[in-house]
Amino acid sequence: MKLVAATGNAHKLREIRQILQGYEVLSAAEAGFSGEIEETGKSFLENALLKARAVAYALKLPALADDSGLSVDALGGAPGIYSARYSGGGDKENRALLLKNLSGKEDRRAHFCCAVALVLPDGTEYTAEGRTFGTILEKERGNGGFGYDPLFFSEDLQKTFAEAAEEEKNAVSHRGRALLALKKQL
Ligand code: ITT
């Protein structure tokens, strides 16, 4: 099956391609999509659907979107759906703000959430969600991954996602679990 990944995030695209081996996954740019999609949804699922629909209908090809983020217990679930835009800067600034907002807090529990949506040009929609649990360290560890990975100590792996090999992360990650659940429906 050929599908377009409705994402502008190159790290996500790389993980989606590794997880969905056997599928031909084109980037939105490769498929000729250059539009901007405003993420106005109130949940991961709403935003994933919004992105997948925009690309599927514009290109008339099956489109897969991922909306994801980090929820920190002691911060009432923040940054949540605003994870990418948390600090107004990039990944590094987002991690610095997270550490600042958690300074002095004992409860470091957190989880990543991922909603995926696959929309076909005829309007058929498939969705799935995945989660993965861990804690937020006080200092970064590891050079792999992206986003909050160097601070996220995975309960499953007993190391940070940035210290894990790509296949190790994908086997337990929110994205890996969401895409596996989606694949089962196809
Ligand atoms: P697209 O909307 O174009 O797909 P985006 O990066 O804006 O790209 P989101 O709105 O879904 O995507 O925001 C996801 C953010 O959540 C991402 O930028 C990271 O900060 C964080 N995040 C999601 N999955 C992650 C992962 O596996 N590891 C680390 N951080 C992650």
Side-chain angles (χ1 to χ4, degrees), residues 16-163:
I16 291 170
R17 282 186 167 141
Q18 280 187 347
I19 297 163
L20 292 184
Q21 280 173 24
Y23 291 74
E24 190 183 346
V25 183
L26 301 178
S27 71
E30 279 163 357
F33 182 84
S34 54
E36 279 284 315
I37 307 166
E38 245 201 290
E39 294 185 27
T40 51
K42 293 189 182 64
S43 66
F44 294 111
L45 197 55
E46 278 181 30
N47 280 332
L49 277 167
L50 216 126
K51 292 186 268 191
R53 285 176 188 145
V55 172
Y57 298 145
L59 298 180
K60 302 199 170 32
L61 285 171
L64 173 75
D66 159 317
D67 201 68
S68 45
L70 180 72
S71 278
V72 180
D73 291 19
L75 302 178
I81 60 168
Y82 304 107
S83 292
R85 304 167 254 173
Y86 194 34
S87 65
D91 284 354
K92 195 162 166 248
E93 290 76 19
N94 288 344
R95 293 195 297 269
L97 180 61
L98 177 64
L99 284 183
K100 180 165 164 255
N101 290 342
L102 271 180
S103 74
K105 299 226 193 278
E106 268 192 21
D107 181 1
R108 315 285 294 191
R109 287 173 299 171
H111 59 274
F112 276 118
C113 295
C114 175
V116 288
L118 174 66
V119 175
L120 309 186
D122 71 2
T124 311
E125 296 182 340
Y126 302 89
T127 61
E129 292 186 89
R131 284 177 174 211
T132 194
F133 293 82
T135 49
I136 302 302
L137 298 180
E138 282 172 13
K139 260 196 193 157
E140 302 191 0
R141 275 202 223 161
N143 299 311
F146 70 101
Y148 299 90
D149 282 347
L151 289 174
F152 184 79
F153 185 85
S154 161
E155 197 175 283
D156 293 291
L157 301 178
Q158 293 294 307
K159 55 182 153 184
T160 71
F161 272 174
E163 292 174 307

